[in-house]
């Protein structure tokens, strides 16, 4: 055979083999996305803005209509309620509304001054207050105290905000010196009731926040692996926020292994171990300041262990069935009681709650109720129709149902079960006032061998639910939440 021909064939053969090898290693490479290399599907196309003048004008109109105020004064001392009223997003500002006046809406804001802007960043100034935020008049915030006596003169019904203590003190002082008869009322309850039902713009804000948060969950399913630190997972979550122009709405909770049992774990510095669960309770804030709140719990190595599976399935069942009760026609706590019923029954079947009529045996496993409003605050303002501070009263009392659920409410649904290590050793501290030493010891002795199998497992599944005219929409449904979908998404 021709020697040259032989070398050519050999060369071609090596080339083909090399190519095959390259293709093979490429397809075998783990299906993860590296930082910086972000496919389209993790980018959310924003259709919403940080502010909409018309929306805020209509909102103010309605709120004013719900008062009989001669004057309303609210400042950034009222925290997000000020933003709700004005859309104004700076650290300092005061709004004065005089219904029926020629120029009813005045904003007092940080004026544009070269050193202020140089040191603290761009401000809207009095010009922006008028042009962007729709004020009829605008002044420097420093002018407020001086103008206040004139603003208050002859006004009888004055609405201030309960948290605005600086304004309240100032108003009190002036009224006293003028000897004017007045009736001071609190604007806060009016605003908080308003905030319960979200308008279209707010719903768009929440959709944006939830969509981006969901994308973080989807992304992390492809990147999580043993050996990473919790803060690296947090960085990847918040990287997706950043790539979408958003910031965290609250401190990301990224808890692996035993940390999955710590409800508000934010230290996020443990290293993920093979066999751990990883609980991520996270939420981006929209451009207009509305925060999502979505939790997923996933196995670090991509597959749930039998014990993790058992607890996960129970929490998921509680979530699925409770969700059906987040609709018009039900009350605020109906979903909570459904979730509790399912989790308690499941734990009873597993031998973990020997006596389901014992309140403290149930309370040992139940740490929190399953829903809260979301909005400008992660736990948004508004009345629930029961005393939210008295957890021990409402959490396991089906008779306490709270207020009616209405279209336009947006709330979380977040059942969870947490098997904190050594929790059984704390039972005397927790329930010593409710049960005898013998009762507690008997419970511990019976339950411990079973409890130990689940120690270090914490599962929470949290979704954001919009109540519609005839039902509900789970805004966070696209973040995998069944075992099958999670394991499928984590396949490498
Ligand atoms: N992220 C706090 C909560 O779930 O309520
Ligand atoms: Mn949460
Ligand atoms: Mn929540």
């Amino acid at each position: 055979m021709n020697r040259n021909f032989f070398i050519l064939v050999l060369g071609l053969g090596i080339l083909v083999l090399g190519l095959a090898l390259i293709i093979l290693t490429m397809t075998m490479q783990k299906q993860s996305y590296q930082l910086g290399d972000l496919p389209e599907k993790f980018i959310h196309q924003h259709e919403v803005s940080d502010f909409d003048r018309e929306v805020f004008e209509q909102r103010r109109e309605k709120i004013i209509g719900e008062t009989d105020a001669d004057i309303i004064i609210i400042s950034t001392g009222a925290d997000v309620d000020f933003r709700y009223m004005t859309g104004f997003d700076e650290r300092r500002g005061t709004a004065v509304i005089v219904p029926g006046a020629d120029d009813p809406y005045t904003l007092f804001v940080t004026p544009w001054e070269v050193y202020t802007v140089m040191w603290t960043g761009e401000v809207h100034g009095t010009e922006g207050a008028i042009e962007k935020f729709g004020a009829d008049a605008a002044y420097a915030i420093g002018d407020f105290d001086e103008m206040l006596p004139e603003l208050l003169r002859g006004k009888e019904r004055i609405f201030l905000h309960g948290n605005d203590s600086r304004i309240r003190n100032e108003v009190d002082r002036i009224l006293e010196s003028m000897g004017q008869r007045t009736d001071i009322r609190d604007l806060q309850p009016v605003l908080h009731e308003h905030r319960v039902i979200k308008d279209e713009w707010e719903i768009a804000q929440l959709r944006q926040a939830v969509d981006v948060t969901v994308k973080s969950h989807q992304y992390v399913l492809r990147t999580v692996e043993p050996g990473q630190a919790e803060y690296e997972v947090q960085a990847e979550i918040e990287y997706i926020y950043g790539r979408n122009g958003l910031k965290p709405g609250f401190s990301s909770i990224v808890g692996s292994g035993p940390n999955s049992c710590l409800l508000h774990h934010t230290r996020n510095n443990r290293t993920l171990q093979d066999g751990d669960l990883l609980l991520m309770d996270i939420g981006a804030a929209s451009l207009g300041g509305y925060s999502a709140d979505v939790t997923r719990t996933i196995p670090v190595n991509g597959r749930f262990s039998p014990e993790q599976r058992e607890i996960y399935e129970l929490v998921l069942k509680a979530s699925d069935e409770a969700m059906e009760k987040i609709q018009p026609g039900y009350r605020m706590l109906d979903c909570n009681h459904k979730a509790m019923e399912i989790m308690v029954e499941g734990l009873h079947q597993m031998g973990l709650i020997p006596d389901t009529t014992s309140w403290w045996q149930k309370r040992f496993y139940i740490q929190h109720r399953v829903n809260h409003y979301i909005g400008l605050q992660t736990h948004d303002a508004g009345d629930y129709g029961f005393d939210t501070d008295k957890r021990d009263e409402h959490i396991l009392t089906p008779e306490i149902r709270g207020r009616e659920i209405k279209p336009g409410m947006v709330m979380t649904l977040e059942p969870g079960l947490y098997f904190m290590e050594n929790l059984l050793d704390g039972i005397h501290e927790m329930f010593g006032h409710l049960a005898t030493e013998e009762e507690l010891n008997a419970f511990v002795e019976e339950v411990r061998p079973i409890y130990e199998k689940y120690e270090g497992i914490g599962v929470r599944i949290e979704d954001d639910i919009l109540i519609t005219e005839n039902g509900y929409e789970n805004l966070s449904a696209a973040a995998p939440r069944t075992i099958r979908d999670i394991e499928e998404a984590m396949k490498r």
Side-chain angles (χ1 to χ4, degrees), residues 124 173 219 254 324 350 429 453 463:
H124 300 292
R173 198 179 59 75
Y219 180 64
V254 181
E324 295 308 314
M350 292 161 73
E429 183 193 321
K453 287 199 294 176
D463 286 280

Side-chain angles (χ1 to χ4, degrees), residues 250 253 264 281-282 293 295 372 378-379 412 414 460 462:
F250 59 88
I253 297 169
H264 287 152
D281 184 345
I282 59 168
D293 188 7
T295 307
H372 60 81
T378 311
H379 291 193
T412 63
E414 50 178 310
R460 176 160 68 254
E462 178 173 29

Side-chain angles (χ1 to χ4, degrees), residues 72-76 78 81-82 85 93-96 161 164 187 191:
I72 297 172
I73 306 175
I74 181 168
S75 84
T76 38
D81 276 340
F82 178 75
M85 210 46 191
T94 300
V96 177
H161 190 286
D164 238 346
L187 185 65
L191 291 182

Side-chain angles (χ1 to χ4, degrees), residues 76-196:
T76 38
D79 203 19
V80 293
D81 276 340
F82 178 75
R83 188 160 184 191
Y84 185 73
M85 210 46 191
T86 61
F88 198 74
D89 56 355
E90 289 179 18
R91 214 166 48 80
R92 294 183 72 209
T94 300
V96 177
I97 299 166
V98 182
D102 287 344
D103 290 331
Y105 181 37
T106 306
L107 279 174
F108 292 85
V109 300
T110 304
W112 199 101
E113 281 165 354
V114 70
Y115 270 133
T116 312
V117 170
M118 186 179 224
W119 283 83
T120 64
E122 192 57 87
V123 295
H124 300 292
T126 50
E127 235 168 76
I130 292 171
E131 273 163 28
K132 176 167 179 182
F133 294 95
D136 301 307
Y139 300 95
I141 192 129
D143 295 342
F144 176 74
D145 286 2
E146 202 181 310
M147 291 173 71
L148 188 55
E150 219 30 63
L151 289 165
L152 291 173
R153 192 175 303 282
K155 311 289 194 307
E156 274 182 25
R157 291 176 300 271
I158 301 174
F159 275 70
L160 306 179
H161 190 286
N163 294 349
D164 238 346
S165 49
R166 201 196 79 82
I167 302 276
R168 175 70 200 242
N169 292 340
E170 204 50 30
V171 168
D172 279 346
R173 198 179 59 75
I174 291 165
L175 292 175
E176 204 180 302
S177 73
M178 294 200 300
Q180 189 171 307
R181 198 178 70 85
T182 49
D183 176 7
I184 295 187
R185 309 226 190 118
D186 191 356
L187 185 65
Q188 182 172 317
V190 182
L191 291 182
H192 284 192
E193 184 52 27
H194 228 264
R195 282 172 58 186
V196 168

Side-chain angles (χ1 to χ4, degrees), residues 120-313:
T120 64
E122 192 57 87
V123 295
H124 300 292
T126 50
E127 235 168 76
I130 292 171
E131 273 163 28
K132 176 167 179 182
F133 294 95
D136 301 307
Y139 300 95
I141 192 129
D143 295 342
F144 176 74
D145 286 2
E146 202 181 310
M147 291 173 71
L148 188 55
E150 219 30 63
L151 289 165
L152 291 173
R153 192 175 303 282
K155 311 289 194 307
E156 274 182 25
R157 291 176 300 271
I158 301 174
F159 275 70
L160 306 179
H161 190 286
N163 294 349
D164 238 346
S165 49
R166 201 196 79 82
I167 302 276
R168 175 70 200 242
N169 292 340
E170 204 50 30
V171 168
D172 279 346
R173 198 179 59 75
I174 291 165
L175 292 175
E176 204 180 302
S177 73
M178 294 200 300
Q180 189 171 307
R181 198 178 70 85
T182 49
D183 176 7
I184 295 187
R185 309 226 190 118
D186 191 356
L187 185 65
Q188 182 172 317
V190 182
L191 291 182
H192 284 192
E193 184 52 27
H194 228 264
R195 282 172 58 186
V196 168
I197 306 293
K198 270 67 182 176
D199 60 38
E200 288 300 320
W201 184 80
E202 293 182 286
I203 290 169
Q205 292 288 322
L206 282 163
R207 276 188 198 282
Q208 177 189 47
V210 176
D211 282 348
V212 171
T213 307
V214 161
K215 288 187 185 303
S216 291
H217 276 300
Q218 292 171 337
Y219 180 64
V220 161
L221 281 170
R222 290 161 171 78
T223 58
V224 159
E225 57 186 8
Q228 268 186 318
E230 290 167 351
Y231 52 73
E232 289 179 81
V233 179
Q234 176 184 358
E236 291 185 353
I237 287 164
E238 293 172 15
Y239 166 70
I240 300 295
Y241 299 173
R243 286 296 301 269
N244 285 283
L246 304 191
K247 294 187 176 128
F250 59 88
S251 298
S252 301
I253 297 169
V254 181
S256 64
N259 290 345
S260 63
C261 300
L262 312 183
L263 301 185
H264 287 152
H265 166 78
T266 49
R267 211 178 282 275
N268 299 353
N269 61 1
R270 184 177 172 278
T271 301
L272 277 51
Q273 310 287 323
D274 196 334
D276 281 348
L277 280 183
L278 176 67
L279 184 152
M280 294 164 289
D281 184 345
I282 59 168
S286 74
L287 293 174
Y290 285 72
S291 184
D293 188 7
V294 183
T295 307
R296 290 293 183 264
T297 309
I298 67 173
V300 163
N301 63 15
R303 276 193 70 76
F304 287 87
S305 74
E307 291 77 21
Q308 292 167 351
R309 189 173 291 265
E310 233 178 315
I311 303 305
Y312 194 92
E313 289 290 13

Side-chain angles (χ1 to χ4, degrees), residues 46-61:
H46 295 168
E47 314 89 12
V48 291
S49 55
D50 62 344
F51 178 73
D52 184 318
R53 185 165 159 168
E54 214 171 292
V55 166
F56 280 82
E57 275 167 2
Q58 285 171 6
R59 180 181 300 168
R60 273 195 302 277
E61 202 71 14

